[in-house]
Structures are given as C-alpha cells and as structure tokens.
Amino acid sequence: MKKWTKIITLLTVGAALAACSNDNDEAVVAPETEQETTTETATETTTETTEETEPVDETEDQRAAYQAELDQAQAQYDNEQLDESAGTLSVLLKEDLTEYQAIKVEAEGLLEKVTLAQAEQARQVAGTSSDKTEYQTERSSSVLAEKYLAETGQSIEAATDEELGSWLSAQDKKAEETSSSSETDAEETTETEAEPENEFATDEEAEDYAFDQLIGRLGLSNENYSYFVNKTDDQWVTIEARESMEQDGVEWSNMIGMYRYNLENDSIEKLDSITGEYESVR
C-alpha cells in the first residue's frame, strides 16, 4: 500500500506578522521545524515499511523444488524403478517450466529413455503371455495385487485376462451394492443419530472419503489416471495413482504416487520409493 505523508500548512497574515518582534518570529519558525521533523520521520517510516513489504523472489526456491523432483526421477531410474521415474517426470513436466529450460530439457531427455525401456519391457511381456495382454495397469498395481492375493490366494501376475476380468467385475458389483446400502442407511438415519465425524459404517465409506480428500487436496484428478484404494486398518487408507500409457500397441502404466491417508488426523503421506519411507505431504 502506498503511504502518503500529510503536510501541515501554516496560514499567516503578512501585515500582522511584519510588526511582530524577533521572539514572535522565532515562534513562527518553530512550527516549521517541527513540521520538517515530522515529515522526515514519516518518510523514514514509509521507507522502512516499503522495504519490509517488498515481494520475495521465489524463482530460486521454485528452481530448487523442480531440480529436486528431477534428481528423484534420476535416482529412481538408476535404481531401475522405471514406473516411478516416469511418473515423477510426468508430474514435473506438467508444470510450467518456461523459466527453467535446462530442467525441462533434461527431464524430457530422461523421460524418453525411461519410456523406451518401459515399452521394451511391455513388448516382452506381451510376446510371452498371450493370455495376459489386458489389464496391464491393474496388473502393475501393488494395492490391487495385495487385494487379489488376499481374496484368491493367487498372484495377480499369474492370473489370466479372464480370471482377472471376472474378479474385477465382482469388485465393481460389490462396490455398487455397498454404495446403495450406504445410501439407504443414510436416509434412515436422523441427525441426532448421525455418527461422529470420520467414523464410517463400512470400509468402502472410509475409502471413498479418503479418496475424495486426496484428489481435492492434492489436485490429482486426471482422465489418464487410474486409482486403487484399500483400507488397510482402522487408521490408514492406501491410495495408488497410476497413469496409463500405450505405444505401438503395447500398454503399461507410470506410478504417479503411492499415498496413504490417515483417518484419525486427516493427514496425507506419500511413499518415497528410494528410501521406502512415507513422508508427509499435506
């Protein structure tokens, strides 16, 4: 905000002041001196305020953040975590990197190498498994793999397209039935009988809540993303976001992020694939 210094104007009557003594002249001069002091003090205050409110240049901080993402992608690539590296680069390259051309060029070059390696792996899988050509994103999901193993006793990698397709259809049907049941229960519940906040009648309700919070707070909505959600215990809901890719007739997916939502305090954590530790993000 611009500061304005208020100027005090003294009005005099020339004829009357001309007849005054030297003492009276000093009395006239004194207010002018006080005015000058006030003006100087106000000017100094204005200068200090302006200096304190000057906008901070965040360019270097942003550059450091983008460079950290690029370094993470490189570390993932070096560690042969192709899906994770590609996901990190995909998110980075969706940012406006106009002022960070060096980072953009390096990220694009690394993504090209990662994509070539991913495509080669996908072609090899397609060539050796004629009954496992579909559901590549689902097969890549560790969240879905845990669910499938727990319910069927079989590895998701070993499942045929027919077996996996039937299981996924059953999952969708169960989710629809649970949703309908929850809506009916909600209609029959009065306000006085409503459950406390963040307490859920079913695991599916908790998963839906955690998913909505994650998408809204982190802005992860994307038409090419697939999400796999699983409530692992009373405290945590795991949410995996993957980006479906296709090249030359073969499919695979990038790991955008493995997250977990804390139902007790509404916090979000993301897995660092290099350290194997979850870190707070929101």
Side-chain angles (χ1 to χ4, degrees):
M1 178 182 294
K2 187 173 181 179
K3 299 288 185 180
W4 293 98
T5 302
K6 184 176 181 181
I7 305 299
I8 302 173
T9 304
L10 301 178
L11 300 180
T12 60
V13 180
L17 292 179
C20 291
S21 65
N22 290 338
D23 291 338
N24 287 338
D25 289 338
E26 292 175 0
V28 174
V29 173
E32 292 178 358
T33 302
E34 180 180 354
Q35 176 187 333
E36 291 173 359
T37 302
T38 302
T39 303
E40 289 175 359
T41 301
T43 302
E44 291 174 358
T45 302
T46 302
T47 302
E48 293 174 357
T49 304
T50 303
E51 291 175 353
E52 292 175 357
T53 58
E54 283 182 355
V56 177
D57 184 3
E58 298 181 351
T59 302
E60 289 306 313
D61 288 342
Q62 189 63 71
R63 185 187 304 279
Y66 290 152
Q67 185 63 52
E69 289 188 62
L70 179 57
D71 293 342
Q72 176 76 356
Q74 182 65 58
Q76 290 167 330
Y77 176 72
D78 294 340
N79 204 36
E80 298 184 353
Q81 297 175 341
L82 299 181
D83 293 355
E84 289 81 358
S85 180
T88 301
L89 291 167
S90 176
V91 172
L92 173 60
L93 288 170
K94 285 182 173 64
E95 300 288 348
D96 182 4
L97 300 178
T98 304
E99 298 183 13
Y100 313 94
Q101 286 300 311
I103 292 177
K104 180 179 180 181
V105 170
E106 189 174 347
E108 290 174 339
L110 180 56
L111 181 58
E112 184 176 354
K113 290 197 298 184
V114 175
T115 300
L116 287 174
Q118 287 179 299
E120 180 58 29
Q121 285 186 353
R123 279 192 291 270
Q124 291 177 1
V125 171
T128 59
S129 307
S130 59
D131 61 344
K132 303 172 188 175
T133 59
E134 298 182 20
Y135 309 113
Q136 295 308 314
T137 298
E138 289 80 0
R139 293 181 188 279
S140 300
S141 167
S142 58
V143 169
L144 212 59
E146 290 180 7
K147 275 190 175 183
Y148 190 82
L149 180 62
E151 295 187 13
T152 69
Q154 182 182 13
S155 167
I156 197 171
E157 290 87 356
T160 65
D161 286 343
E162 183 178 357
E163 291 171 337
L164 185 52
S166 297
W167 183 79
L168 290 171
S169 296
Q171 295 295 305
D172 290 340
K173 183 177 180 180
K174 183 168 64 176
E176 291 175 0
E177 291 174 348
T178 302
S179 178
S180 298
S181 176
S182 297
E183 290 176 359
T184 301
D185 293 342
E187 292 174 356
E188 295 175 352
T189 302
T190 63
E191 291 185 3
T192 56
E193 297 173 337
E195 296 180 353
E197 187 178 1
N198 284 15
E199 289 192 10
F200 308 95
T202 66
D203 287 351
E204 286 75 13
E205 285 186 8
E207 290 173 356
D208 289 344
Y209 172 80
F211 174 76
D212 290 341
Q213 290 294 312
L214 180 82
I215 298 301
R217 289 161 62 179
L218 298 187
L220 283 179
S221 179
N222 188 298
E223 61 180 9
N224 292 325
Y225 288 179
S226 297
Y227 307 91
F228 305 99
V229 187
N230 187 34
K231 183 174 181 288
T232 54
D233 54 40
D234 291 339
Q235 181 179 8
W236 297 102
V237 174
T238 301
I239 305 169
E240 181 179 4
R242 302 190 72 93
E243 182 180 25
S244 300
M245 307 295 293
E246 181 178 354
Q247 185 180 89
D248 300 329
V250 294
E251 298 179 6
W252 68 91
S253 65
N254 299 332
M255 170 67 82
I256 297 302
M258 179 72 76
Y259 304 88
R260 64 179 186 178
Y261 191 90
N262 191 319
L263 296 170
E264 294 182 356
N265 61 21
D266 286 317
S267 63
I268 301 174
E269 298 180 353
K270 182 179 181 181
L271 179 67
D272 184 326
S273 64
I274 300 298
T275 65
E277 301 291 332
Y278 277 93
E279 300 177 351
S280 178
V281 293
R282 185 65 62 85

